[in-house]
Structure formats: structure tokens, C-alpha cells
Amino acid sequence: MDTKNNRKHLSSIANDVVHRCALQVKASDDSLVEGFEAEWKPEIGQYSKKFVEYCSVKALTNMCQSIEEKISDGSFSRLTFDMMLAWEMPSAADEESHTECMGKENEDRKAVKFTSDHDEVPLFYTDIMPLLVNNELSVGEDSFVWMGSLVPLVSDVINGRFTYEILTAPTGSRLHFPAYDIFLKEMDKCVKHLQKQATPKGVELADDEFILHVEGTASTQRVVRHIGKTSWPGRLTLTNYALYFEASGVIAYEDALKIGLLKDAELSVKPTATGPWGAPLFDKAIVVESPGQSEGIVLEFPEITSSTRRDHWLALTKEIILMHKFLSKFKVECPIQAWEMNARTILCIIRLHAAREMLRILPPDPTKFLIFALYDELPKGDYVLEELAESLKKVDCGHPSSASSILRCMNLSIAASGEVREGKELEEHKHISDESCSSLETAINQSKEEAKAVEIAKSTTEGLKEEGISDSILVLLELLKPLKSVLPWIREVVSWEKPATTLTVIATTLLIVYKDWVGQAIAACLLTVVVKMLQARKKRLTDKCNEIVVCTASDQSTVESIVSAQYSLITIHEMLQAANITILKMWSILISKARKHADTAMVALTGLAIVLAVVPFKYIVMGGVLYGFIMNSKPMKCLGNKSDDQSGNRRLKEWWESIPIIPVRVVDKLPECPK
């Protein structure tokens, strides 16, 4: 039964994996071949890869029954890593091609070996020195995600690619066995650590409620709750259903304050700033807000430098809230399916804890290890979640390698939503996964590609965001330069400097308004813009316009520039004052503080309302256009009485200036409202 038969069409690593899988299921290599060939269809192709998948599925069925023990002794990590290697190089031809590529890489490495003797090495490598491996085989992204589709322990198929990017960023996007083994063992340590955490005081956790993170204890960093100007240190516990804050007492913790994270659909959590006496000085806190509460619950995570702890708690809390919103939105009412999604979320959080332990000096982005917080931010993330909801309905939560079964086999004290079916193999689950994951994988890849495009676009705006106010104003003026050529043309048309053009504009405007062709006119303008864009593409302006140059040079001296800036500030201040006065005068008219002016305004508004109600609006527009152009023509300017116009404008100005405003009083503290 333990005879190892090498098959020439398989690579050496694939032969080894097949033999070890046979030992795991207590069968011979030949029996695995017979079982596979009985199910395999030649039209599918990829015989070697499908055979490796078949053997891996068989072995993982048994291994997941005692997964905690297998992780501790390293056998699970070694075999699953070799499965990924065999999946990447299933055939002898694949192995030969890989050997040739590695030989060329080694030659290139020798050529540049002594060019830089003191290359910079990230400091966090000191925690995982075994990663500095050049000659050992490593696995790629596709095989890592494939393993996650079989066993959602080291990765989840929905965010496995993002997890892989973070884990392999220091090693050229290749995952080596030492890092993989450490990652799995850190996950096991994390589970055992969370199991030892005390239940919040005065709280009885639900049967399926699991503690996910705790801080504020004697062995961890402080957590402070802010209520107005007072601050209360304490212990903060996060579960898959709620946040619990226990204020520190003289001897022991007080009874926990429960902040439910699943009942209120409008519940939100966001970053905020806190400080002594309520001053928002330090951006290291979160606030949990609910429409039923007058004030949000503010929790601070003090740190000397960055806000890494706050970001970590914010991501975890947001993940739990979004998970319950997901279950509610897509009406996942089956308890077994709901618990399976809970279990997958818990495993994601455990992976994040493990990665933070591995990469202590440079903590990873929390959202890359989570599901809902990640796709809440990514473009087309809602499409991915829709596909996830559909695939969740097809998942068999009772098979040994489901997320809920894995948590149960890791001895978590959680009530089982369903029993593991002993001896049930993964073939049926594998076929279901192949069908449901194809559309899910397509949505994930599309979201990931668009996320890369968004990141590239955002990187182009970083330099502009770093500019000061003066530079931003100069850039704005430079961008508005094309409009300066439009203004003189409008002035020429209105002042009849080119009578033919003016008459054409008048006739066109009157015809469009009279015939109700406004929609068609707008359509014509939009098509004109499209034509201009096509002309720009034909002229290859994209290649010619690589940057916009803004000149900040000035003929003014330093003193003149300071004086000019001062006058600019004075002008802005006067504009603000004029705006405030205008609003206050309008308010005085509205509430009849100035009764005489209010009467005049009401009579004028009533007359205007009657005109608009009786006369069709298009005739009013046509009359306004004709009046505007005729009054600006040279004959009317010669025949018109300028003194009458000036007198009318003067009367209107005097009427406006005679409107009193409501006094404004600025105070440092709001007056108390009478009860």
C-alpha cells in the first residue's frame, strides 16, 4: 500500500504528492489512478493537473478531520504547499521548462551578484529570516487561490489574491515554504490565544459568538472611551456580533457596555479625532453612531506615532457590520449558510492577526485580508458580493473542509450549526465549486483590474494635492484660460460689433425657443463635444500633451507680492461681508422686519407670478432675448435716455441700501435653551 510508483508523465513533485495522498487515504497509488480515470473525461484535457487535484481533494478530506494536530506538527503545511507546487508543475514537461527557467535566472543572478554588497533589506525580515531563500521552490498566486478554494484556511477564494500580494510583497510575488509554514502556525497560535480570552463582565455570549480581538488588558495597549470631556480607560472586546467595553474600576472591570453590530441597518463606524477636554487633537479614535443614539460612542486607541491600532479596529468593526448587512441584504436566512459566512469572516480576521504577528515592523493593510471591508471600497465590489451570495447557497457546509467545519475541528467553543459528515469526500463539493466559482472568479478579476486602474489614476493626482493654495489658484487660472477666448466673442455678439453674427445668434435662439427645440439643441452641443474629442484623438493630442506647464514667475518684488496678497485677502473679506449682508437683508424682507420693503417685494413677486401664469414661458424668454440685444444695439443707445437709466438704477440702489438687517451677535458659548 505504501509502494511508490513513479509515473513518467508526472513531474517529480507531482509523483511525490500522489504517493503521500495515497498514504493519507490509506490506499495505493494505482487505486487512486483507477478511481480518477473512472471519472475523468478525455475531452476535458489537462490529465496531470486534474489527477493532482483529484488526489489532493481525497487527502484533504481526511486531513481536515484533525487539522489542528496537522498544523502543529507541520505536516499540513508541508503537504498542502507541495500540493500547490504539484498543481503548478503537474507534468514532466512543466518541470523541465521550470528547470530551464531557473537555470537562466541563476546565471543572471551570478552576473550581478557583486554589484551591490549592502542592499537594503526590510527590517521585518528579521522576524521571518527563512524567507530569504533563493534556491527553494515557491508557489504562485493561482495555486495559492486554488488551495483556498479547497480549504478556506490559509486563504479564501474571494480575497485570496489580495492576501497573496501582501504575503509575497517582500519576496518578489512568490510564496516560499518557511513563510507559508509560519503563517499557518501563527494562525493556530492566534486561535488558541483568542480561546483563552475572558468573557466580558456581566455578559453571556451567544452559542455561536466568538471573541475576535481584545485590547485594554494589562498585557495589551490602552483603550479609552470618551464621554464629553471625561475619559474612561477600559477593556474592549470584539466578537462576531458586538463590541463590549468594560470600564476599569478600582479593583476589577465594571459591567460591559454592549454595542450591537447586527440589529441596526443604519449603524456606522468611522474615524474621528479626540484629545484632552474634548479637543480634537489626536486622530486615533473611532466613533460608532446609530440613529437611535443622540451621541456616538467614541473609543480611542492611543499610540505615540501612527494610528495603526485605530485603523485595525476600524477595519475589524466595519467588517462585522458589513457582514451582517450582507446577510440581511441578500436574505441569507438559513442558519447553516449564515454561520458558514460568519466562519469565513472569522478565518479572515484570524489571517489578519497572523499576518500582523509576522510583519510587526510594517503592519499590512487590514482590508486586504478581509472580505466585506475590501469589496466595500473596490470598484464593482457590489457585483462580487452578489456572486458571493449566489455561491454561498451552493456551498455544502457539512463537508470536512468548509469554513465552519475547520473552526470546529480547531476546537473552538462554538455551537455547531451542523455536524460534519464523517468520511464525506469533496468530489461533490469540488464540482459545485467549479460551477459557482467561475462567475465569482470572473467578477473578482474584473474588480481587481479596475482597482489597479483606479490606483494608477489616483497616483496621477497625488502631486496636485500636495500643492499650496497659491499654486492651486495658478493651476485653476491656467486651466480656465480656454474660456477667456469665449468671453470676448460673447461681448462682440452682445454689443453688435459683428452685426451678421449677432443676427444669426438672435434668429437661432428665437427659433429654438419658439419651436421647443431646446432638447435637440443640447443634443447638438453634446455631439459637437464628441466631434472635438475625435478630432483630438486623430491629431494625437494625447502624445503631445504629456503635461501642463504653469509659470509662477512674477514681475513684482517680494514686498509688492506681500502687499498684493494682503489686498487679495481684504477683497475676499469684503466679498464675504457683502454676501452676509445680502442674506440678512433678504431675511429681513422675508420676515417683514422692513415692512415697507416687504410690501414692495410682495407686490413685485405677485405681479411676476401673474405674468408667468398667464404668458407662456417661451414668449417671456423670447421677449427677454430681444430686449437684451435691442437695448445693447447702437441705435437704441443713441435714442435712449441715459439719465433715465441712471435715475432708475439709483432709485433701486437707494431702496436696497435702506433695508435694515437683523443684528448679529457673536458669542463663545451657545445660550441655554428655555425648557
Side-chain angles (χ1 to χ4, degrees):
M1 187 176 296
D2 59 349
T3 304
K4 183 175 181 179
N5 298 323
N6 288 332
R7 286 162 176 78
K8 294 182 179 180
H9 62 86
L10 294 179
S11 63
S12 57
I13 185 65
N15 271 307
D16 182 64
V17 166
V18 169
H19 179 66
R20 286 154 65 189
C21 289
L23 294 178
Q24 186 66 41
V25 300
K26 298 180 180 179
S28 64
D29 297 4
D30 293 334
S31 64
L32 288 179
V33 174
E34 293 173 2
F36 170 71
E37 291 182 346
E39 299 179 5
W40 180 68
K41 298 178 181 178
E43 60 269 17
I44 298 176
Q46 296 184 322
Y47 179 93
S48 300
K49 176 172 283 190
K50 295 298 180 182
F51 181 50
V52 169
E53 291 179 0
Y54 174 83
C55 297
S56 300
V57 165
K58 287 277 188 179
L60 288 172
T61 304
N62 289 348
M63 293 187 72
C64 288
Q65 303 287 342
S66 56
I67 193 167
E68 184 181 22
E69 178 185 348
K70 300 291 185 181
I71 292 175
S72 299
D73 62 20
S75 59
F76 180 85
S77 57
R78 184 71 264 181
L79 181 55
T80 52
F81 188 83
D82 290 343
M83 285 178 180
M84 290 187 282
L85 290 175
W87 188 84
E88 283 191 340
M89 295 186 298
S91 66
D94 294 329
E95 185 176 24
E96 183 178 354
S97 175
H98 180 267
T99 303
E100 292 178 0
C101 292
M102 290 298 296
K104 292 180 180 179
E105 288 183 6
N106 290 333
E107 291 178 2
D108 295 339
R109 191 179 295 115
K110 289 178 181 178
V112 297
K113 184 175 181 181
F114 300 102
T115 57
S116 56
D117 295 331
H118 302 285
D119 292 333
E120 285 190 18
V121 177
L123 293 176
F124 57 85
Y125 270 30
T126 56
D127 292 336
I128 47 173
M129 285 300 292
L131 276 178
L132 300 176
V133 179
N134 289 326
N135 297 322
E136 284 197 11
L137 295 175
S138 57
V139 299
E141 183 178 300
D142 291 337
S143 58
F144 184 79
V145 175
W146 167 74
M147 181 56 63
S149 67
L150 298 184
V151 184
L153 177 62
V154 72
S155 71
D156 194 295
V157 66
I158 194 168
N159 65 346
R161 298 188 183 278
F162 299 92
T163 302
Y164 181 88
E165 285 182 0
I166 298 296
L167 292 178
T168 60
T171 54
S173 298
R174 298 293 296 181
L175 182 63
H176 297 273
F177 174 73
Y180 179 76
D181 183 53
I182 292 172
F183 186 54
L184 279 173
K185 289 179 178 178
E186 286 292 345
M187 288 182 65
D188 186 46
K189 290 179 184 177
C190 176
V191 171
K192 293 176 180 176
H193 171 74
L194 293 174
Q195 286 176 319
K196 297 176 183 177
Q197 299 303 312
T199 303
K201 187 177 180 181
V203 173
E204 185 177 352
L205 298 180
D207 292 337
D208 56 350
E209 191 169 6
F210 182 57
I211 294 176
L212 301 176
H213 196 30
V214 179
E215 278 194 338
T217 61
S219 58
T220 58
Q221 298 185 64
R222 288 194 315 142
V223 178
V224 180
R225 181 189 176 193
H226 293 273
I227 308 175
K229 295 183 180 180
T230 60
S231 303
W232 298 91
R235 178 172 62 184
L236 184 63
T237 303
L238 173 68
T239 71
N240 53 319
Y241 287 127
L243 275 169
Y244 298 95
F245 180 79
E246 304 162 83
S248 299
V250 178
I251 299 176
Y253 292 107
E254 298 178 1
D255 287 347
L257 167 69
K258 181 179 179 179
I259 309 170
L261 302 179
L262 73 159
K263 293 183 180 179
D264 194 346
E266 299 299 325
L267 187 72
S268 65
V269 58
K270 56 186 180 182
T272 188
T274 59
W277 301 288
L281 300 177
F282 308 111
D283 186 21
K284 301 178 186 297
I286 64 173
V287 56
V288 184
E289 295 178 330
S290 176
Q293 298 174 342
S294 58
E295 293 184 0
I297 299 173
V298 180
L299 300 168
E300 183 187 6
F301 306 92
E303 283 184 280
I304 296 176
T305 54
S306 66
S307 56
T308 306
R309 288 178 60 217
R310 190 277 304 278
D311 296 340
H312 185 64
W313 275 95
L314 179 65
L316 295 184
T317 308
K318 188 177 180 182
E319 178 75 1
I320 300 301
I321 293 174
L322 292 175
M323 179 194 70
H324 291 292
K325 287 183 178 180
F326 167 83
L327 296 176
S328 176
K329 177 181 178 181
F330 294 100
K331 298 179 181 179
V332 184
E333 298 175 353
C334 175
I336 297 177
Q337 293 177 355
W339 172 241
E340 177 68 15
M341 197 69 253
N342 270 268
R344 291 173 71 172
T345 304
I346 291 171
L347 286 173
C348 286
I349 293 175
I350 290 172
R351 289 186 209 107
L352 174 57
H353 288 321
R356 283 173 62 87
E357 287 298 316
M358 287 178 62
L359 310 173
R360 292 183 181 180
I361 302 299
L362 188 63
D365 180 6
T367 57
K368 300 296 185 182
F369 288 85
L370 305 176
I371 296 176
F372 303 103
L374 173 65
Y375 286 101
D376 185 57
E377 298 177 356
L378 291 183
K380 302 289 179 63
D382 53 335
Y383 292 167
V384 177
L385 295 182
E386 288 177 7
E387 294 294 340
L388 174 62
E390 289 298 320
S391 65
L392 187 63
K393 298 175 183 177
K394 303 175 184 178
V395 172
D396 182 5
C397 304
H399 66 72
S401 69
S402 66
S404 52
S405 300
I406 288 174
L407 285 182
R408 194 179 303 113
C409 292
M410 296 180 80
N411 296 326
L412 295 185
S413 54
I414 301 177
S417 299
E419 295 300 325
V420 179
R421 292 190 285 278
E422 297 291 337
K424 179 173 177 64
E425 297 179 355
L426 298 177
E427 275 73 36
E428 181 181 352
H429 163 64
K430 182 66 172 62
H431 295 319
I432 293 174
S433 296
D434 288 342
E435 295 171 3
S436 61
C437 284
S438 58
S439 57
L440 178 61
E441 184 70 16
T442 301
I444 292 171
N445 290 335
Q446 183 180 4
S447 179
K448 187 178 179 183
E449 290 302 318
E450 293 204 14
K452 290 181 179 178
V454 170
E455 287 297 322
I456 294 173
K458 285 183 177 180
S459 64
T460 61
T461 65
E462 292 301 321
L464 194 62
K465 290 180 179 179
E466 295 176 357
E467 294 176 352
I469 296 176
S470 59
D471 290 344
S472 298
I473 294 174
L474 290 173
V475 171
L476 178 61
L477 294 175
E478 184 69 25
L479 295 176
L480 294 178
K481 267 188 177 180
L483 297 179
K484 292 182 179 180
S485 60
V486 178
L487 295 176
W489 180 83
I490 294 175
R491 194 179 297 111
E492 289 176 358
V493 171
V494 173
S495 61
W496 293 77
E497 294 182 10
K498 295 181 178 180
T501 305
T502 303
L503 290 173
T504 304
V505 171
I506 293 173
T508 305
T509 305
L510 294 177
L511 182 63
I512 290 172
V513 174
Y514 181 75
K515 293 288 188 179
D516 292 327
W517 290 349
V518 177
Q520 290 84 337
I522 295 174
C525 293
L526 296 177
L527 289 176
T528 303
V529 173
V530 173
V531 171
K532 291 291 184 182
M533 294 173 65
L534 292 174
Q535 289 177 349
R537 182 179 296 181
K538 188 176 181 180
K539 294 178 181 178
R540 296 186 178 275
L541 293 182
T542 305
D543 300 331
K544 298 177 182 178
C545 184
N546 293 322
E547 61 179 0
I548 296 175
V549 179
V550 180
C551 181
T552 60
S554 175
D555 297 333
Q556 295 179 333
S557 63
T558 304
V559 176
E560 289 174 338
S561 299
I562 294 174
V563 173
S564 177
Q566 184 179 1
Y567 276 108
S568 299
L569 290 175
I570 292 172
T571 303
I572 294 172
H573 184 223
E574 290 175 350
M575 291 172 62
L576 291 174
Q577 286 180 330
N580 292 335
I581 291 171
T582 301
I583 295 172
L584 289 171
K585 285 179 180 289
M586 293 172 64
W587 183 249
S588 295
I589 294 174
L590 184 64
I591 64 174
S592 295
K593 180 75 173 177
R595 182 174 295 273
K596 181 180 177 181
H597 301 80
D599 293 341
T600 305
M602 286 189 286
V603 171
L605 292 174
T606 303
L608 181 61
I610 293 172
V611 172
L612 290 173
V614 174
V615 182
F617 185 69
K618 65 179 181 180
Y619 294 121
I620 296 175
V621 174
M622 292 171 66
V625 171
L626 285 173
Y627 177 81
F629 278 99
I630 291 173
M631 294 305 294
N632 281 288
S633 62
K634 292 181 180 180
M636 290 303 299
K637 286 182 179 180
C638 295
L639 296 174
N641 192 345
K642 294 185 178 180
S643 62
D644 292 342
D645 294 339
Q646 293 176 356
S647 177
N649 293 335
R650 180 171 179 173
R651 296 289 86 78
L652 181 61
K653 182 180 179 182
E654 291 172 353
W655 178 84
W656 177 256
E657 290 179 348
S658 63
I659 301 174
I661 65 171
I662 300 174
V664 176
R665 181 165 57 95
V666 180
V667 296
D668 295 332
K669 185 178 180 182
L670 286 174
E672 295 183 2
C673 297
K675 296 182 180 179

